[in-house]
Amino acid sequence: MFKIIIGFKRREGMSLEDFKIYRRDVHAPLLFAIPEAAKIRRFVVNYPVSAPNFPEPSFDAVVEGWFDTLDDLNALYFSENFRTKVDPDHENFIDLSSVSRIIAEELVVVG
């Protein structure tokens, strides 16, 4: 199982609540409307919470997407549909300079 993990901050001037609503009600439907999104096995959005004794979070959200193979991940992210329909929307709610990505092979230690 392979995973893409993406951390990012919201666009300047956008409230956290508006950021969450936009991602859920506008951006997610764009992603899941393209046929290549069927390659996603699991998709999770993490929003930080205040936690005493821990530093302030570096991101406003961290997204995790699971895929059976690297080819499946690439088929989504490098598809014409993603590049023309989904990716251009990121600038509407994300500070593009804050985006950090890793591709990982998940190793479950407990669970």
Side-chain angles (χ1 to χ4, degrees), residues 57-76:
S58 300
F59 302 114
D60 292 318
V62 175
V63 171
E64 300 171 275
W66 285 258
F67 298 82
D68 291 332
T69 67
L70 284 176
D71 287 341
D72 287 348
L73 186 149
N74 287 329
L76 170 64

Side-chain angles (χ1 to χ4, degrees), residues 24-84:
R24 183 192 66 216
D25 295 345
V26 177
H27 188 72
L30 285 175
L31 172 60
F32 290 103
I34 65 172
E36 296 85 357
K39 304 239 181 235
I40 300 170
R41 294 291 166 239
R42 180 178 164 105
F43 190 87
V44 175
V45 180
N46 303 276
Y47 294 109
V49 296
S50 294
N53 303 315
F54 285 87
E56 286 295 311
S58 300
F59 302 114
D60 292 318
V62 175
V63 171
E64 300 171 275
W66 285 258
F67 298 82
D68 291 332
T69 67
L70 284 176
D71 287 341
D72 287 348
L73 186 149
N74 287 329
L76 170 64
Y77 284 95
F78 296 103
S79 70
E80 183 71 16
N81 280 326
F82 186 85
R83 287 186 288 118
T84 61

Side-chain angles (χ1 to χ4, degrees), residues 4-42:
I4 185 168
I5 304 166
I6 309 167
F8 48 88
K9 292 186 176 266
R10 67 189 179 266
R11 188 191 70 200
E12 188 174 335
M14 181 176 251
S15 74
L16 185 57
E17 188 61 25
D18 287 343
F19 171 72
K20 290 178 179 181
I21 291 168
Y22 188 93
R23 200 225 45 83
R24 183 192 66 216
D25 295 345
V26 177
H27 188 72
L30 285 175
L31 172 60
F32 290 103
I34 65 172
E36 296 85 357
K39 304 239 181 235
I40 300 170
R41 294 291 166 239
R42 180 178 164 105

